[in-house]
Amino acid sequence: MIKAEELVTFVTTDIAAITRGRAVAAADLPDALSKGVGWVPANLSLTPFDEIASPNPFGSSGDLRLMPDPEAGVRIEGLGGRTPLHFYHSDITNLDGTRWEGCVRSMLKAAVADLEALGLRVVAAFEQEFQILGADWPTAPSFALSAQRRADPFGPMLMAALGAAGCAPECFLPEYGRDQFEIVCGPAGAVQAADRAVTIREVTRELAATMGWRASFCPKTDPNGVGNGVHIHLSLTDLQGNPVTFDAARPGRLSAQAGAFAAGIVRHMAALTALAAPSAVSYQRLKPHHWSASWNTLGEKDREATLRICPTSERPGHDPSRAFNMEFRAADATASPHLALAMLIRAGIEGLKAGLSTPPIVKGDPEEMSADERARLGIRRLPTSLHEALAALEADTLVCGWMAPTFLECWKGMRLKELEIVAGLDDAALCRRYAEVY
């Protein structure tokens, strides 16, 4: 009987948020870590539905390398009798080893370096919601212990697997939606945080599959159901790791630097939504009164705000500065975590460079405000469809300038092809189509 060979996959998570790659035998890993594996530029034009946008900037020409990050490896044994899940997050490079302009992980690294030139670093964490499909469980109340226990041993096994993968899982909970759960992990540097977001998705899907289910991170699996969001938590430190986001004397307790960073995000929020919620199904979730995001607002402890100032413990003797953070709530799992975080950092950098003031901290429901009140506060509706989001991105030349022209051309072409593929689907069919992928 032939014994299965352990494989190690060098992966990239592309602009469709699909983790793709090529595998080598584990025995060849030491050599492969320095050589990488081949890759193709036109892969970037693949839609979530595996149809390639054509024309695209690359055609059949060109060759690249997937270069694994030796510090970003994941290996988990014992999932349902399968061979070990073993992969490395990788950068896409040109053949001479230089950064390829279409590599979203490298784009995030470049944004981090530019922020560090201003004396700051981002600490981030991705909070992700997902649903289990095909489990056929009895109904259970939202957030209930019974909802967690009916899935046993899924929760304990997932926490153990994510711990083994280096994701620092902090909390597993049954959520508001049917068969919906959320995973919260600890904060990390920007690149590691985005890598963890990908790892959590892949490990969760792998574990669910061993139990005969599907784990879907799709923004909406049912138009009448609850959405699955990806909440990107952000805070700032200096280069020595000291927190600089908190200032109890300022509005919202945001320091001047954090306020300027937030202002950059709010100023470019419509275009950022195109990159953080980049699929046709994303806009099934981004609706008022859905606890997601609908307006370009900064809010405090308000889950309808797109950029939310999160609460901290008020216990005596507790230092809030180390836990204090903001949360971007418009993102979902159809977006590349690396690209979404890179663009948020770029927007924050623009706010810092321009010395912007903290935006108005909006209280109350913008839908119940008069048009004059919204205008006074600078409140505008976020895009309500991918078509609107693409137009908002096109109109924001500054955001477009944060991406290489060829990359932007590829990104737009892929999204237009995606829209073409799903054109004519009703809401229920649209949700089903994306749930099959995500």
Side-chain angles (χ1 to χ4, degrees):
M1 182 176 180
I2 297 174
K3 183 180 179 181
E5 176 77 59
E6 181 176 336
L7 298 181
V8 186
T9 308
F10 299 160
V11 302
T12 178
T13 301
D14 62 16
I15 56 177
I18 305 297
T19 302
R20 311 181 195 265
R22 295 186 178 184
V24 300
D28 298 331
L29 182 59
D31 189 43
L33 283 173
S34 62
K35 291 182 178 179
V37 295
W39 202 241
V40 179
N43 284 356
L44 197 65
S45 291
L46 278 167
T47 69
F49 311 114
D50 287 339
E51 291 189 40
I52 195 164
S54 182
N56 64 70
F58 314 109
S60 60
S61 301
D63 286 282
L64 302 163
R65 300 297 287 179
L66 268 182
M67 295 302 300
D69 182 341
E71 303 300 317
V74 172
R75 186 178 185 276
I76 306 170
E77 292 186 89
L79 293 180
R82 297 185 176 194
T83 59
L85 176 63
H86 195 176
F87 61 88
Y88 281 79
H89 297 284
S90 307
D91 297 324
I92 309 175
T93 72
N94 296 305
L95 296 182
D96 63 2
T98 57
R99 180 175 74 91
W100 183 53
E101 62 186 3
C103 176
V104 290
R105 195 169 187 266
S106 297
M107 290 168 66
L108 177 54
K109 288 181 176 180
V112 167
D114 287 349
L115 183 61
E116 287 183 352
L118 300 179
L120 295 171
R121 289 196 176 110
V122 157
V123 175
F126 287 71
E127 191 178 271
Q128 303 188 87
E129 297 165 335
F130 64 94
Q131 287 169 280
I132 294 295
L133 306 179
D136 197 28
W137 290 318
T139 58
S142 301
F143 312 111
L145 178 61
S146 59
Q148 176 184 315
R149 294 300 297 170
R150 69 183 176 163
D152 195 68
F154 177 72
M157 289 181 67
L158 181 59
M159 292 289 275
L162 293 177
C167 291
E170 291 186 340
C171 190
F172 171 80
L173 65 147
E175 257 286 357
Y176 180 63
R178 179 173 175 81
D179 301 340
Q180 185 185 41
F181 298 91
E182 181 177 87
I183 281 287
V184 180
C185 67
V191 176
Q192 185 181 16
D195 288 348
R196 281 180 178 177
V198 172
T199 299
I200 288 169
R201 296 173 195 177
E202 296 306 319
V203 172
T204 303
R205 290 176 179 131
E206 177 96 0
L207 178 60
T210 68
M211 297 180 169
W213 313 325
R214 282 198 302 125
S216 178
F217 291 77
C218 181
K220 268 292 188 78
T221 61
D222 180 334
N224 298 313
V226 173
N228 296 304
V230 174
H231 305 148
I232 306 176
H233 289 258
L234 303 157
S235 63
L236 300 172
T237 72
D238 62 22
L239 298 184
Q240 289 72 48
N242 301 304
V244 297
T245 311
F246 181 81
D247 186 339
R250 291 181 52 83
R253 302 190 295 171
L254 289 174
S255 68
Q257 287 176 308
F261 194 94
I265 292 174
V266 171
R267 174 173 286 189
H268 298 287
M269 200 170 271
L272 293 172
T273 301
L275 298 162
S279 69
V281 78
S282 297
Y283 299 87
Q284 293 282 325
R285 187 180 78 89
L286 299 184
K287 296 178 180 180
H289 310 139
H290 279 58
W291 285 30
S292 56
S294 306
W295 305 85
N296 67 327
T297 55
L298 172 67
E300 189 173 13
K301 306 172 189 174
D302 181 356
R303 288 176 173 80
E304 287 280 335
T306 301
L307 188 63
R308 172 180 175 250
I309 302 170
C310 296
T312 56
S313 173
E314 298 180 5
R315 293 173 297 169
H318 177 76
D319 177 9
S321 66
R322 305 204 74 85
F324 189 64
N325 69 90
M326 296 176 284
E327 176 189 31
F328 183 78
R329 295 178 59 82
D332 64 51
T334 66
S336 155
H338 299 86
L339 180 61
L341 184 51
M343 295 298 103
L344 289 172
I345 292 172
R346 289 286 178 202
I349 288 172
E350 291 299 326
L352 289 162
K353 286 182 174 178
L356 299 181
S357 299
T358 302
I361 298 173
V362 175
K363 297 182 179 179
D365 183 353
E367 282 204 320
E368 296 181 0
M369 298 177 183
S370 68
D372 288 344
E373 177 76 357
R374 289 198 295 265
R376 183 181 67 81
L377 295 171
I379 298 174
R380 294 181 297 279
R381 185 73 164 86
L382 293 181
T384 61
S385 69
L386 182 53
H387 285 289
E388 285 186 19
L390 289 169
L393 177 61
E394 188 84 35
D396 196 326
T397 55
L398 194 60
V399 173
C400 289
W402 299 338
M403 295 169 278
T406 300
F407 175 86
L408 188 59
E409 179 187 353
C410 180
W411 190 92
K412 290 179 180 177
M414 189 275 279
R415 292 300 171 196
L416 290 172
K417 180 63 176 178
E418 181 180 338
L419 283 169
E420 177 187 319
I421 293 168
V422 300
L425 296 181
D426 63 24
D427 289 348
L430 186 74
C431 290
R432 287 195 301 271
R433 188 77 169 91
Y434 278 93
E436 291 170 356
V437 178
Y438 293 100

